[in-house]
Amino acid sequence: MHVGTLSLLARLQVMKALSLVVLLLCLALVCSFTHGANIRFQNSYGSNMVLQRNKITRLIGYTSVGDKVDVSIFGKSLVATVSASGEWFVDVQVPAEGGPFTIAATGSTSGTATLQNVMVGDVYLCGGQSNMQFTVHSAYNATEEIALAAKYPQIRVMTVGQGNISFTPLQELASIEQPWSVASPASIGANDWGYFSAVCWFYGRYLADAHPGVPVGLISNNWGGTIVQAWSSPDALAKCKTETADDDAITAPNPNQNSVLWNAMIVPFLNQTIAGALWYQGESNSGDAKGYACMFPAMIADWRVKWRESGAFPFFFVQLAPWTAGAGTAVADTRQAQLAALELPGVGFATAVDLGDATSPQGNIHPRDKETVGKRLLLAARAIAYKESNVVYRGPEMSSIQYSTTSGSSTYKAIVSFSQTATGLELRPASCPAGVAPVNCENWAFLLSDGKWYPTSTATIDSSDRVIVTLSAGAPASLTPVGLRYAYSSWPQCTVFSKDNLPAIPFEHTKQ
């Protein structure tokens, strides 16, 4: 993704198109604040929603200018603060899990607005680009999974609408694809690319199984093909000296501009407390690994600062799945850049590096196995957010390498030691699938002293935490091995797994 400065013409095109939208929104707000208008809640709230348990959350709404508002919630009556423009809010201490509850906001001159069937539990925001948007309807075992949704009425779902950007922070969502709804075949399996997010759903369903007494709220908030800059505030981007995304052929609305989705799709949720966030994004930042390694952690840290009462909430991301991006290591470098976020506390991940799907009807960049992704994300959550000490969520990770060669020989060896191997290692067969050009695929490769990489697939398990990799053909003799990489390509051939069925994390290592 090229990064530069928007052309003046492009900027004018965007601003002209958005000016009418802004005008209409302003007129709508003026109408809502005139004397005698009906009281209402901000549109990110709704009947059937879930409020985050054991936290203080802020309820926000709109009413007539000069109105007085009382809010009835959890058996209490609270007096709301009302601004000169008619916006009201009240801060509420949310109790432990339970429900259903009714919340009523009553104005002295504007009637009553009511939220019904509200639950209290754990709320997760599911963000990113198209692999998070990818719906249950398109996933493996869709028919069975959609029918199963009827058994989970304690899960509530919401899908934010796409198609709207903003150069300034919005207080309300410009559009909602799916209002807060009880999980059901209709609300989970509507259609391809509409609702509901498969990764988000599978995570929530397995979370509900793990904590059956705790309702789960899932907010699907994503936009296919978007870059991390769009979801980041100006404050976050300033930490990385990020320039504005450039597209000379821009047409409004273009989501790949700095902060426009932060403003339009994240800011309206900042007053609602959450248990954590799930994130599947990075494909559109492939090619700028260095930038992503700064911007991604900066976005997470900034979200945590700005989200009300949520503190350093847990954040779980998906390491990118295979797709046919061609030769080179741009995708592998991006996968590596994603791991920079692990330097922050309370951040975990689920790798999808072994879940390639060459025949996906939605294109091989969109693998259908989202259930495994959801399960792995939940493993991370159980270990980090729910502090279950016996849960393993990380696959084997390279910890050290010893290189060797025989003088005058063309055979080169590396002894690779792994961490996260309590249950031991196993090797599995892997090959480049039909329809995927070999240039996309790689298992192991040695970097020799001539500066070239030489692929190999010869590896054996040496112990419960070590693998011996050998290069014995295809390379000149009398060189020195100076580096090794594993699964470091756009379509990795993953062969190393833990006996917990978790794949080893790709790496590229060079001698210091």
Side-chain angles (χ1 to χ4, degrees), residues 345-412:
V347 175
F349 74 107
T351 188
V353 72
D354 60 322
L355 301 179
D357 184 0
T359 59
S360 172
Q362 306 296 345
N364 65 40
I365 197 172
H366 301 121
R368 287 167 286 182
D369 185 1
K370 296 298 193 278
E371 184 171 6
T372 299
V373 175
K375 286 181 178 179
R376 290 176 180 174
L377 284 169
L378 182 61
L379 288 176
R382 290 173 60 193
I384 295 172
Y386 298 97
K387 303 186 186 307
E388 297 182 33
S389 59
N390 61 337
V391 173
V392 176
Y393 82 92
R394 295 171 75 147
E397 299 179 41
M398 184 274 294
S399 57
S400 66
I401 300 178
Q402 295 177 310
Y403 298 94
S404 66
T405 187
T406 302
S407 178
S409 169
S410 60
T411 297
Y412 306 92

Side-chain angles (χ1 to χ4, degrees), residues 13 116 124 138-139 162 180 186 191 207 209 216 240 257 263 272 288 388 431 442 460 480:
Q13 289 174 333
Q116 298 177 329
Y124 284 87
S138 300
Q162 298 177 359
W180 279 105
N191 48 41
L207 177 61
D209 288 341
V216 177
C240 302
Q257 301 178 76
N263 290 329
Q272 297 182 35
D288 184 22
E388 297 182 33
S431 60
E442 188 176 274
T460 58
T480 302

Side-chain angles (χ1 to χ4, degrees), residues 204-276:
R205 179 166 75 75
Y206 283 105
L207 177 61
D209 288 341
H211 300 276
V214 181
V216 177
L218 302 172
I219 302 167
S220 177
N221 191 359
N222 35 72
W223 190 325
T226 52
I227 54 178
V228 72
Q229 295 97 309
W231 298 98
S232 304
S233 78
D235 292 339
L237 295 176
K239 297 182 182 301
C240 302
K241 298 180 180 180
T242 305
E243 297 179 358
T244 304
D246 183 24
D247 183 349
D248 289 335
I250 187 173
T251 57
N254 173 34
N256 281 332
Q257 301 178 76
N258 285 6
S259 304
V260 295
L261 300 183
W262 158 263
N263 290 329
M265 299 174 73
I266 298 298
V267 170
F269 286 102
L270 294 183
N271 283 302
Q272 297 182 35
T273 49
I274 58 175

Side-chain angles (χ1 to χ4, degrees), residues 50-59 73-74 91-97 101 119-121 273:
V50 177
L51 294 176
Q52 179 57 42
R53 58 177 172 157
N54 302 320
K55 295 282 188 177
I56 296 174
T57 195
R58 175 167 288 187
L59 299 178
I73 182 172
F74 305 134
D91 291 333
V92 179
Q93 176 63 59
V94 182
E97 59 272 12
F101 299 98
M119 306 298 286
V120 170
T273 49

Side-chain angles (χ1 to χ4, degrees), residues 52-224:
Q52 179 57 42
R53 58 177 172 157
N54 302 320
K55 295 282 188 177
I56 296 174
T57 195
R58 175 167 288 187
L59 299 178
I60 298 176
Y62 306 97
T63 190
S64 307
V65 173
D67 201 13
K68 297 179 180 180
V69 177
D70 292 315
V71 177
S72 174
I73 182 172
F74 305 134
K76 299 178 180 180
S77 181
L78 305 175
V79 178
T81 300
V82 184
S83 73
S85 65
E87 180 179 330
W88 61 264
F89 74 87
V90 63
D91 291 333
V92 179
Q93 176 63 59
V94 182
E97 59 272 12
F101 299 98
T102 297
I103 304 173
T106 302
S108 57
T109 64
S110 57
T112 298
T114 303
L115 304 181
Q116 298 177 329
N117 196 27
V118 174
M119 306 298 286
V120 170
D122 284 343
V123 181
Y124 284 87
L125 182 132
C126 303
Q129 54 183 109
S130 57
N131 267 309
M132 184 62 84
Q133 181 184 349
F134 189 100
T135 60
V136 177
H137 193 271
S138 300
Y140 283 136
N141 302 316
T143 300
E144 296 83 352
E145 193 62 33
I146 290 168
L148 191 61
K151 297 182 179 181
Y152 289 86
Q154 76 274 38
I155 300 179
R156 309 301 174 81
V157 297
M158 175 188 183
T159 302
V160 178
Q162 298 177 359
N164 298 279
I165 67 172
S166 179
F167 293 107
T168 57
L170 300 182
Q171 296 307 305
E172 289 198 286
L173 297 167
S175 66
I176 296 174
E177 176 78 12
Q178 176 190 36
W180 279 105
S181 305
V182 177
S184 68
S187 64
I188 299 304
N191 48 41
D192 294 336
W193 303 113
Y195 54 84
F196 188 69
S197 162
V199 168
C200 196
W201 167 252
F202 282 117
Y203 173 85
R205 179 166 75 75
Y206 283 105
L207 177 61
D209 288 341
H211 300 276
V214 181
V216 177
L218 302 172
I219 302 167
S220 177
N221 191 359
N222 35 72
W223 190 325

